[in-house]
């Protein structure tokens, strides 16, 4: 493989018509700190630089690793700024040389316009963008839409890797061809790590491989998950991913480790672009930011790393007060302040000396000094301290971060996770976090009037998290509604019982059927269920019925009856184990799927495809084995099980 | 004129290549009651019907009168639904036969892509949409963006009629030609009625007329204001509008009065499309909803009214309890309830009988019975009463509306306004409104610790209104920041005064320089000022300085340096009376303006144009008189002064 890369570097250039040229970037976090008068424009400035690079290198397309937006609900200004940049750089006359081969109605199943933007005759696209969602811009709300869906329905990006079920995930690649080279891009938008970890461990992740020319595809996978271990299940080990992959583009992690790293266990490379803007003041974010130009020729590839020049300079350093020789006596506070000040001045000088000189690179750097105050030192007021650096430093309010070194001991996974997460938080935030948690716990523990008869504490916690993170104002109401309905159904079945019996039943029910797991799924699946009725057959009362309501039919193709019906059908095929029906109902919706022009596979009458493999595992495997010599273009690669499992 | 319409009806059809065909609609209020499980889809369903009609009639373009969205910040689902319909119906191969003649960089001055979408080579537009904003979707936030700007920057609509100043408005028409017919469309997005009334009265509204062929244009104006009088200044009298107009499209008023009404005083017709969805349960909204196909041939026009078939049926009626003969004694409550129920049943029956039978028209009607309970009757619980109609009526919660007839007496204008506004509100809301007002007033009056030293009550009131209506979370903070800065500057100038003297100064200052008017302007102009620095020369400290910050340049044309600079220049030309500089600086930005292909006017070197006339009245008039024989394509028509003024 290493050899291949060498080979590629010789070939690329001579065989341009056979070589994919792809700009790789990730975690642009548009809108990050947009209200900060100093840093407000940083994310959009660098986003534009990314597209300037794409244009300059005349790439075939741009591939993004998620978290295009920082907020789940980006502000109008941020969304508008993003649209402006995309319209400016992605539209144009240059024809895209990449032939798109896979079934677009499968790749873009959730869209009303399941067509790749550069093949839509109504748009002139010179630089197509492909992106998955990250954890910051994941789908939410009543229609399970991401902010990226707005860009996608406007024809500005191609949004892939959206999953349709919370219980099983089948990943059907984007298949492309340029000259003789063939590229398969597997996308998986951000899924909560714990859930994805569980799905991998229980072999509920399916990777579909093209049967035709199976071994000649260059296989890329784009993911947006924790790569660094945060507790036992709070990350995705690289070994979970299929070893037929050639290259994994790993989003979410902000440190730029863009030089592909070879993983000898899995036989693939991992390229971690890192973010294009620092969203936390940590070591990883202080490293130089990059995008990459990825060239793929047959089964070989080459990565050209391109440093970004508009990123705000960021310097981070550490200081241990005990090592300064200054006494921890509070009378020496001024001495400590002076010492710290001197240290920061030297960091600022370094920033000035190393500034690129480019007018587009901000001059006020981010400065972070981590001060270990263990040994009896008293932290001074870092907010007031920072005021002297206003106008010289971009983050005067949080230059100094006080922390205490942990003493080394065996720590459990939970603690480890907490320690990693908390390590980045300043004292004040930690205190606040604890307070909010305390409030909830105390309320529930001490005051009987607040005790929850129906809801589990965990479920409420999850709902509150979604409420805060995604600004989904209805989620708590929905949860309560769902819980009450379930409980009401239970009680109806048990009419005539005594109060005591009922109480016991409620408790048992709460513990078992209606436990944390059920509630978690109810929350996770809420959006999907609202669209795909029938996911939970016994829970049809979960959402307000809207099936009788006249809805606008907004599909691209009037004959095609739109996304609504097709995706609903598909979702019906994804119920947990097909409680009500195990009859395999294959190829539903396929006949009406919009096929791409020039698509090799979809011209064949495909009867079993990606959508059919989305059904319950049992029937899916049988179907595919049965018809191995059929026209089904895909083979299945069951993702590896956790070695620990 | 009436004769002309007759003439037109004979001509249209024979001269199709010379006849504009325009779909007129207004107040689509997308997203209205989107969370209502019954009515949630109504607005989008009818919006789609509007575009089906446009497509069926193969109109040249769609012209909307504002309030495309119901919420200033439409939900993602609503925005997405709107995008889907626009993409489905407006994109396509049919070439638009209308030649666009005016300077697009003037018409669409606020856009980074000041080009009409069907002339952008990167989009294939078959049915262009032109829209102004209404009061529901007006620009807001730090970049003064409307939700419509998202559609405009995505190439889906052409958004015009955005004003750049709060003190003067100059309206430069969209000029179009189809065959021999010439059309000028003047757009004015919603402005607060009181302010617009004042601007008209003080002759601060300028209408620019094309000099070439001045009398051969068919002149349409699109406005979104109160047409019905709500108090002396809380509406725009038709007489305010220029009499060279041929047809006014009047948005905002929801009653469909789409048949053009001749106004003999002004010599123009007024066409009031009305809303496409009922957003209040009033008589006007209960009338049949329409769109119109407007045909324009030379100076003649014809309107074909097209009833909308997907609108939810809505029946409204009145009942006076005194006329029922039932005693007002509370023991007869059940009798009254039965009487009311019978009445509503008959309304439902009527709705059933009159249903169009179309599957796309909802079957559950809106029902409103206004019950006059004067004469000592006690209103029953209308919420509980409505429960029996769940599943049969779309609005079970507010079917019955209790009110008392006003006794006739002389009422002042203020009272009149209040009575008209309150007439539609149910009791509970009125009570709540009063309560909130009381809280503020009581706080300020009774508790000295809440007394405002710097801020006027009115200014706070306005800020709170914007905070609530537009969800502009920063507006109050901005107001306070602005006030404090001004006060600090005052105090700095007066160092050495005694406390008493200072107190007096503060009071005087608050009353005069810093009075309500100033504060109102500060609030109204906040968004504009944040973009166009220098509007208020003595208030540069109002917003955070962002001039030194590296910003993304996102203009369509790299040589053109984008909207940011041009609009900033123009805004500088719009300061109130040019306090610091009266030098006329004409034609700025004109040389770099993007001109439309086939544009007659812009091919001439235009030195004084719409942008130059936007300057203070004095210099503007002189310039234009001086150069009346120049290439300036526009004549000025100063809008008529209020007859009462």
């Amino acid at each position: 493989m290493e050899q291949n890369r060498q080979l590629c570097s010789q070939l690329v250039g001579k065989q341009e018509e056979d070589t994919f040229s792809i700009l790789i970037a990730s975690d642009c976090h548009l809108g990050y700190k947009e209200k900060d008068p100093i840093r407000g424009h940083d994310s959009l400035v660098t986003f534009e630089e990314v597209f300037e690079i794409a244009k300059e290198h005349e790439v075939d397309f741009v591939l993004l690793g998620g978290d295009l937006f920082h907020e789940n609900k980006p502000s109008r200004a941020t969304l508008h700024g993003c649209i402006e940049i995309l319209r400016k750089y992605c539209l144009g006359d240059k024809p895209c040389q990449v032939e798109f081969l896979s079934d677009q109605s499968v790749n873009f199943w959730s869209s009303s316009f399941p067509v790749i933007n550069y093949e839509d005759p109504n748009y002139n696209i010179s630089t197509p963008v492909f992106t998955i969602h990250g954890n910051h811009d994941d789908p939410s709300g009543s229609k399970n839409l991401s902010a990226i869906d707005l860009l996608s329905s406007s024809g500005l990006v191609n949004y892939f890797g959206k999953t349709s079920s919370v219980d099983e995930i089948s990943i059907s690649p984007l298949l492309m061809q340029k000259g003789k080279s063939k590229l398969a891009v597997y996308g998986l938008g951000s899924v909560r790590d714990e859930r994805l970890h569980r799905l991998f461990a229980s072999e509920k992740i399916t990777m579909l491989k093209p049967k035709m020319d199976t071994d000649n595809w260059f296989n890329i996978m784009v993911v947006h998950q924790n790569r660094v271990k945060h507790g036992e299940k709070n990350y995705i080990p690289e070994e979970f991913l299929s070893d037929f992959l050639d290259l994994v583009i790993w989003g979410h992690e902000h440190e730029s480790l863009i030089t592909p790293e070879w993983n000898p266990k899995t036989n693939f490379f991992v390229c971690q672009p890192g973010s294009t803007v620092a969203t936390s003041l940590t070591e990883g974010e202080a490293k130089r930011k990059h995008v990459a130009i990825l060239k793929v020729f047959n089964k070989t590839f080459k990565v050209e790393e391109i440093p970004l020049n508009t990123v705000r300079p960021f310097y981070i350093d550490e200081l241990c007060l005990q090592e300064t020789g200054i006494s921890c006596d509070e009378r020496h506070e001024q001495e400590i302040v002076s010492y710290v000040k001197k240290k920061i001045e030297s960091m600022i000088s370094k920033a000035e000396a190393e500034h690129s000189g480019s007018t587009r690179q901000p001059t006020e750097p981010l400065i972070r000094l981590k001060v270990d105050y263990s040994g009896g030192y008293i932290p001074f007021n870092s907010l007031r301290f920072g005021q002297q650096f206003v106008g010289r430093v971009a983050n005067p309010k949080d230059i100094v971060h006080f922390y205490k070194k942990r003493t080394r001991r065996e720590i459990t996974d939970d603690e480890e996770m907490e320690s990693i997460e908390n390590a980045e938080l300043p004292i004040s935030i930690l205190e606040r976090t604890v307070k909010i948690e305390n409030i909830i716990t105390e309320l529930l523990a001490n005051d009987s009037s607040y005790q929850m008869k129906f809801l589990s504490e965990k479920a409420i916690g999850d709902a509150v998290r979604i409420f805060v993170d995604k600004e989904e104002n209805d989620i708590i109401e929905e949860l309560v509604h769902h819980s009450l309905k379930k409980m009401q159904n239970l009680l109806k079945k048990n009419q005539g019982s005594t109060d005591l019996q009922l109480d016991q039943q409620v408790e048992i029910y709460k513990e078992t059927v209606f436990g944390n797991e059920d509630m978690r799924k109810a929350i996770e699946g809420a959006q999907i269920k609202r669209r795909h009725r029938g996911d939970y057959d016994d829970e049809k009362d979960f959402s307000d019925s809207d099936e009788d309501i006249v809805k606008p039919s907004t599909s691209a193709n009037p004959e095609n009856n739109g996304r609504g019906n097709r995706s609903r059908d598909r979702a019906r095929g994804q119920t947990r184990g097909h409680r009500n029906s195990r009859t395999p109902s294959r190829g539903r919706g396929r006949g009406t799927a919009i096929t791409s022009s020039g698509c090799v596979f979809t011209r064949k009458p495909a009867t079993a495809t990606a959508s059919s493999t989305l059904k319950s595992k049992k029937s899916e495997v049988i179907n595919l084995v049965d018809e191995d010599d059929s026209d089904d273009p895909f083979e299945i690669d069951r993702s590896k099980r956790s070695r620990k499992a």
Side-chain angles (χ1 to χ4, degrees), chain A:
Chain A
M1 198 64 181
E2 287 287 2
Q3 235 177 353
N4 280 347
R5 293 181 64 205
Q6 204 55 38
L7 180 71
C8 185
S9 68
Q10 289 160 14
L11 285 174
V12 168
K14 291 178 196 157
Q15 315 273 348
E16 214 171 273
E17 68 275 17
D18 297 320
T19 305
F20 284 96
S21 173
I22 306 159
L23 186 136
I24 306 282
S26 191
D27 292 81
C28 299
H29 283 264
L30 301 183
Y32 177 70
K33 281 220 184 279
E34 64 173 322
K35 294 199 173 163
D36 185 315
I38 300 168
R39 302 163 72 184
H41 295 281
D42 288 6
S43 62
L44 277 169
V45 167
T46 303
F47 189 62
E48 181 156 27
E49 187 190 4
V50 170
F51 278 88
E52 282 169 0
I53 295 168
K55 194 140 202 158
E56 189 188 317
H57 284 75
E58 297 184 332
V59 297
D60 294 314
F61 61 88
V62 171
L63 182 57
L64 302 176
D67 281 358
L68 176 57
F69 295 106
H70 184 69
E71 300 285 346
N72 190 277
K73 295 192 176 160
S75 76
R76 185 177 298 160
T78 293
L79 195 52
H80 192 258
C82 173
I83 290 172
E84 287 183 320
I85 291 170
L86 292 173
R87 179 166 173 184
K88 180 175 170 187
Y89 289 94
C90 301
L91 271 58
D93 276 334
K94 180 176 85 66
C96 182
Q97 304 293 346
V98 173
E99 198 182 357
F100 203 83
L101 304 178
S102 48
D103 184 342
Q104 303 183 24
S105 67
V106 173
N107 293 143
F108 310 108
W109 63 271
S110 76
S111 172
S112 299
F113 303 92
V115 58
I116 206 147
N117 64 350
Y118 69 84
E119 287 192 359
D120 186 322
N122 293 323
Y123 291 98
N124 232 8
I125 305 289
S126 60
T127 311
V129 177
F130 292 87
T131 188
I132 60 169
H133 64 257
N135 54 315
H136 280 253
D137 49 12
D138 59 338
S140 68
S142 64
K143 306 231 163 158
N144 202 36
L145 295 170
S146 158
I148 305 167
D149 278 302
L150 297 174
L151 304 175
S152 152
S153 57
S154 307
L156 290 166
V157 307
N158 301 291
Y159 172 23
F160 72 119
K162 204 169 178 176
T163 51
S164 61
S165 161
V166 293
D167 300 306
E168 278 194 87
I169 295 174
S170 174
I171 307 173
S172 197
L174 312 175
L175 300 180
M176 309 183 212
Q177 181 152 7
K178 186 176 180 187
K180 293 172 197 154
S181 295
K182 286 180 171 147
L183 184 66
V185 182
Y186 295 79
L188 176 58
S190 171
V191 174
R192 212 156 53 87
D193 281 307
E194 294 85 345
R195 178 152 73 85
L196 189 60
H197 197 287
R198 194 177 58 243
L199 291 175
F200 269 115
S202 54
E203 300 192 355
K204 293 291 177 69
I205 311 284
T206 311
M207 301 275 283
L208 300 169
K209 287 167 70 180
K211 282 188 185 173
M212 195 186 79
D213 246 358
T214 308
D215 298 329
N216 292 329
W217 297 84
F218 187 84
N219 298 298
I220 293 179
M221 178 154 191
V222 192
V223 295
H224 187 101
Q225 304 290 151
N226 278 332
R227 187 179 174 202
V228 175
K229 188 174 179 177
H230 297 248
E232 195 58 43
K233 291 179 178 170
N234 203 358
Y235 77 116
I236 303 302
E238 291 173 23
E239 302 87 80
F240 277 19
L241 304 180
S242 301
D243 54 10
F244 75 85
L245 294 171
D246 298 294
L247 178 65
V248 175
I249 309 294
W250 205 297
H252 187 60
E253 300 285 353
H254 280 206
E255 181 174 355
S256 176
L257 298 171
I258 206 158
T259 314
E261 287 179 89
W262 173 251
N263 184 331
K265 288 191 214 162
T266 59
N267 274 335
F268 56 61
F269 284 88
V270 179
C271 164
Q272 178 178 307
S275 69
T276 61
V277 61
T279 66
S280 66
L281 301 177
T282 55
E283 278 80 2
E285 294 267 31
K287 305 230 173 94
R288 189 78 192 258
K289 303 287 187 193
H290 298 86
V291 297
I293 304 291
L294 167 67
K295 305 261 183 172
V296 175
F297 174 77
N298 287 338
K299 285 288 276 182
T300 70
F301 77 103
K302 193 179 103 173
V303 163
E304 183 188 350
E305 297 149 28
I306 300 183
L308 293 167
N309 291 320
T310 62
V311 178
R312 185 175 293 280
F314 170 27
Y315 291 84
I316 187 165
D317 209 341
E318 284 181 301
L319 175 65
C320 177
L321 290 183
Q322 278 180 313
E323 291 167 10
T324 61
I326 304 168
S327 159
C328 66
D329 188 295
E330 63 180 301
R331 283 168 300 182
H332 293 267
E333 190 190 359
Q334 206 43 54
E335 216 174 318
I336 290 170
V337 169
S338 298
Y339 192 96
V340 170
K341 186 186 169 188
K342 211 171 141 191
K343 180 90 186 168
I344 285 161
E345 286 289 356
S346 81
M347 291 169 80
I348 296 175
S349 300
K350 195 177 173 203
E352 278 166 8
E354 292 180 0
H355 190 274
S356 70
S358 157
T359 53
R360 295 172 62 204
Q361 185 176 40
T363 49
E364 291 158 292
L366 293 165
I367 298 287
R368 164 55 57 95
L369 185 64
K370 291 162 71 179
V371 178
D372 176 5
Y373 69 108
S374 49
Y377 292 85
I378 300 154
F380 55 77
N381 183 326
S382 54
L383 194 66
R384 197 165 58 222
F385 173 83
Q387 281 176 0
Q388 62 192 304
F389 297 104
V390 169
R392 300 177 61 210
V393 167
N395 61 322
K397 287 179 184 170
D398 57 1
I399 297 173
V400 175
H401 167 78
F402 287 102
Y403 76 107
K404 276 186 186 174
K405 269 220 174 80
R406 284 205 162 217
T407 50
R408 220 40 223 167
R409 62 174 175 90
E410 277 305 304
I411 47 176
T412 66
D413 274 320
D414 272 358
E415 280 179 332
E416 183 184 1
M417 180 173 68
E418 199 185 308
S419 99
I420 289 168
E421 283 181 347
N422 290 349
E424 297 176 5
L425 298 172
I427 298 164
S428 58
I429 290 185
L430 282 180
E431 279 166 357
R432 254 184 289 153
T433 313
V434 172
K435 263 186 203 158
I436 291 167
E437 285 175 7
N438 284 350
I439 289 167
I440 293 176
T441 313
E442 279 172 23
L443 263 177
L444 297 176
N446 300 337
D447 188 341
S448 66
S449 65
Y450 283 105
Q451 271 177 20
M452 289 184 293
K453 293 284 185 202
F454 305 124
L455 303 173
S456 81
E457 204 175 315
K458 176 74 166 45
I460 281 283
D462 285 353
V464 168
R465 185 179 53 78
I466 293 173
F467 175 77
V468 173
D469 288 357
K470 317 288 182 214
E471 296 175 46
E472 276 202 47
N473 299 335
D474 304 329
I475 194 80
I476 294 172
E477 195 182 330
E478 264 168 35
L479 174 69
V480 173
H481 183 225
H482 170 69
S483 310
L484 278 176
K485 277 280 177 191
K486 284 204 78 168
M487 201 56 73
Q488 281 164 0
N489 288 342
L490 169 76
L491 297 179
K492 270 182 206 159
K493 282 184 204 151
N494 295 287
Q495 280 178 343
S497 310
T498 66
D499 277 2
L500 184 64
Q501 284 170 330
L502 274 181
D503 269 359
Q504 284 169 344
Q505 278 174 351
V506 166
E507 273 314 303
I508 292 163
Y509 195 62
K510 195 171 147 188
E511 287 303 316
T512 54
V513 187
F514 195 59
N516 290 347
E517 185 67 359
D518 173 273
M519 201 49 96
R520 188 194 47 70
K521 285 195 177 167
I523 292 172
E524 282 180 351
Q527 302 99 332
I528 292 169
K529 273 187 291 175
R530 267 178 289 187
R531 294 177 55 225
H532 314 301
R533 303 297 310 284
D535 232 31
Y536 291 61
D537 293 333
D538 59 343
E539 291 162 22
K540 276 212 163 157
D541 50 10
F542 179 83
S543 62
D544 291 316
S545 167
D546 56 1
E547 293 217 315
D548 301 323
I549 296 169
V550 180
K551 282 184 186 175
S553 114
T554 53
S555 73
N557 181 348
E559 275 105 77
N560 170 10
N561 208 8
R563 167 193 53 160
N565 293 340
R566 193 168 57 247
S567 57
R568 191 171 288 177
D569 284 349
R570 189 176 299 138
R572 286 214 175 99
Q574 291 159 20
T575 55
R576 284 174 291 174
H578 283 269
R579 274 179 236 168
N580 291 346
S581 158
R582 288 184 176 268
T583 322
S585 47
R586 317 180 62 249
R588 263 167 308 159
R590 294 277 308 155
T592 58
I594 294 173
T595 59
S596 66
S597 61
C599 173
V600 172
F601 288 140
T602 49
R603 280 191 185 150
K604 302 185 190 178
T607 51
T609 67
S611 66
S612 69
T613 60
L614 278 165
K615 285 171 294 178
S616 75
K617 262 171 61 191
K618 197 95 180 180
S619 62
E620 149 199 289
V621 171
I622 290 168
N623 288 339
L624 282 157
V625 170
D626 278 356
E627 302 182 358
D628 205 35
D629 52 354
S630 77
D631 288 334
D632 185 348
F634 289 108
E635 274 186 8
I636 288 184
D637 187 276
R638 186 78 60 211
S639 58
K640 276 160 286 186
R641 185 198 300 247
S642 162
R643 283 161 200 220
K644 289 145 204 147

